[in-house]
Amino acid sequence: MTDWREQAKAFLVPWYLQTSAHHKDPVKHAEDVVQALEVQLHQTDPEILTAGMLHDLLEDTNATAAHIEEAFSPGVAELVQAVSHEKGSHFDRDAFCQQLAFISVEAKMIKLAEIYANLEWMQIQLANESPVFQNHEPYLRHVEIFLGMATDPI
């Protein structure tokens, strides 16, 4: 295990222990996103991988970008902010997806890795006949909008 990975995991766990907002194992999901960054997108940059590990922290916990910046770097905090929507599940998904058109290529890679990890998780859930969402349509629209702009220049 690399130092950045140990540091990110040690930072992540206490924040999630303070909340019950997560619907799946947040550490496993974070590791799945990092794995997608490493394997599918061939990323080795510790800043991108750390941000991938922390990508849901602002959405799901009381952590702030300032906490992330203090623990890691301004670059990691910027990447996490770029891929984060407002806290909770009642946010304007379409507006968030449109905002993704203007994030950096590095942040788009994190978002794409998150989508990949979510799709893998959904596939496992469906194979086990476990419900994933009550309504898949908003997530699919989110993915469709993002994929439509993922290759657009910034």
Side-chain angles (χ1 to χ4, degrees), residues 30-94:
E31 290 171 340
D32 290 346
V33 170
V34 169
Q35 182 177 351
L37 282 164
E38 291 174 324
V39 176
Q40 275 70 34
L41 297 170
H42 311 288
Q43 275 303 306
T44 58
D45 183 325
E47 195 164 82
I48 294 171
L49 297 171
T50 300
M53 181 75 82
L54 304 177
H55 75 279
D56 275 340
L57 204 58
L58 299 179
E59 298 172 5
D60 295 344
T61 74
N62 291 324
T64 66
H67 292 124
I68 295 171
E69 183 172 334
E70 184 179 317
F72 299 97
S73 71
V76 170
E78 282 179 28
L79 287 169
V80 174
Q81 277 187 294
V83 299
S84 297
H85 59 70
E86 295 174 26
K87 288 187 189 310
S89 60
H90 302 293
F91 65 97
D92 185 338
R93 188 173 298 273
D94 290 339

Side-chain angles (χ1 to χ4, degrees), residues 113-127:
E114 179 188 18
I115 290 168
Y116 183 87
N118 284 339
L119 290 172
E120 282 194 322
W121 174 79
M122 287 179 207
Q123 184 177 19
I124 291 166
Q125 295 299 107
L126 292 171

